[in-house]
Amino acid sequence: MIAVDRDSPIGVFDSGLGGLTVAHAIMRQLPAESLVYFGDTARVPYGPKSPETVRRYSTEIGFYLIEQGVKAIVVACNTATAHALPQLRDELPVPVIGVVDPGARAAVKASRNGRIGVIATQGTVKSGAYVRAIEAASPSARVTALACPLFVPLVEEGWTEHEAARLVAREYLAPFAHHEVDTLVLGCTHYPLLKPLIREVVGPDVRLIDSAEETAADTRRMLMEHDLMAGPTASAAYRFIASDDPQQFLTLGKRFFGDAIEHVDVRTFG
Ligand code: DGL
């Protein structure tokens, strides 16, 4: 570990804009903390890419955030967490957390019948990361994990209430009724924006687990454990960096984060 200032920012990264849901939850739960958010908009989506490629992208971004002086890193992307978290923890000189464990623990806590559903990208589902994390927290849990790849472009298009999204959601989510799941993990950065629609399709009795809120709570625990909470005189600042068109980040980013995004820097990778 390197010596860092407690008032330094937390680095948060995602394959694109979706991780702003996690950054936003951190902003609300930890209002004194500064953030540097990196969205790899030039290389999104990570969901269908190989584990090796996602690991390479994630370590590049991790070291870039270290250069920006961050005191800790939150991997806000489920796919990057699923493929790269152990490597990032080994290689980066600051504490690193991801979004899978917080979501898995919250699901175990919420479930009454131990039947838990997970929806995520193909990469996250194939990695088995959620199934492992849920079974580690509750060995008797029965987990059904399904990829919902069309949800990401629907959200990016802003079609969160659209009839097309409703049809896709009905198709993807139908198997969960058969498995009698009482808890569903939204295991992808974009899915919290589809919460009302998913709620409508699965019905009011299924608990929806939003890993953004859980990860923000875990961020607090990580900072306290490492004595890294911002001091009482700290004033929060937010910086946003994208690897592609800043204007598009600015426009779409407001959908995830609200008006706190005023300016976007650009940093490209090879
Ligand atoms: N950020 C990704 C995740 O949470 C979703 C978008 C992508 O496929 O890159 O898994």
Side-chain angles (χ1 to χ4, degrees), residues 14-19 43-49 76-80 99 120-122 124 152 156 187-191:
D14 178 40
S15 56
L17 292 155
R43 302 188 291 195
V44 69
Y46 283 9
K49 295 201 167 74
C77 177
N78 290 261
T79 312
V99 282
T121 65
Q122 301 101 305
T124 301
V152 169
E156 302 238 320
C188 172
T189 47
H190 288 56
Y191 300 176

Side-chain angles (χ1 to χ4, degrees), residues 222-247:
M222 165 180 71
L223 295 180
M224 288 177 70
E225 192 184 313
H226 293 272
D227 195 20
L228 284 174
M229 292 284 279
T233 56
S235 71
Y238 306 113
R239 190 174 158 217
F240 301 92
I241 309 161
S243 54
D244 200 8
D245 185 13
Q247 194 50 48

Side-chain angles (χ1 to χ4, degrees), residues 130-238:
Y130 268 106
V131 177
R132 277 196 303 278
I134 292 170
E135 288 179 354
S138 169
S140 63
R142 286 171 57 185
V143 190
T144 308
L146 295 174
C148 301
L150 291 175
F151 279 171
V152 169
L154 283 167
V155 169
E156 302 238 320
E157 199 58 35
W159 284 17
T160 50
E161 307 280 339
H162 196 283
E163 198 45 34
R166 185 167 287 105
L167 287 175
V168 169
R170 282 202 192 116
E171 192 72 30
Y172 279 149
L173 302 174
F176 291 117
H178 176 69
H179 288 278
E180 294 175 0
V181 307
D182 74 346
T183 302
L184 183 64
V185 180
L186 310 181
C188 172
T189 47
H190 288 56
Y191 300 176
L193 276 88
L194 290 167
K195 226 178 187 173
L197 188 71
I198 293 172
R199 153 90 34 248
E200 182 192 310
V201 174
V202 298
D205 297 336
V206 176
R207 294 177 177 84
L208 299 183
I209 304 297
D210 175 347
S211 34
E213 293 299 330
E214 301 303 330
T215 303
D218 246 36
T219 304
R220 177 197 296 280
R221 280 192 281 274
M222 165 180 71
L223 295 180
M224 288 177 70
E225 192 184 313
H226 293 272
D227 195 20
L228 284 174
M229 292 284 279
T233 56
S235 71
Y238 306 113

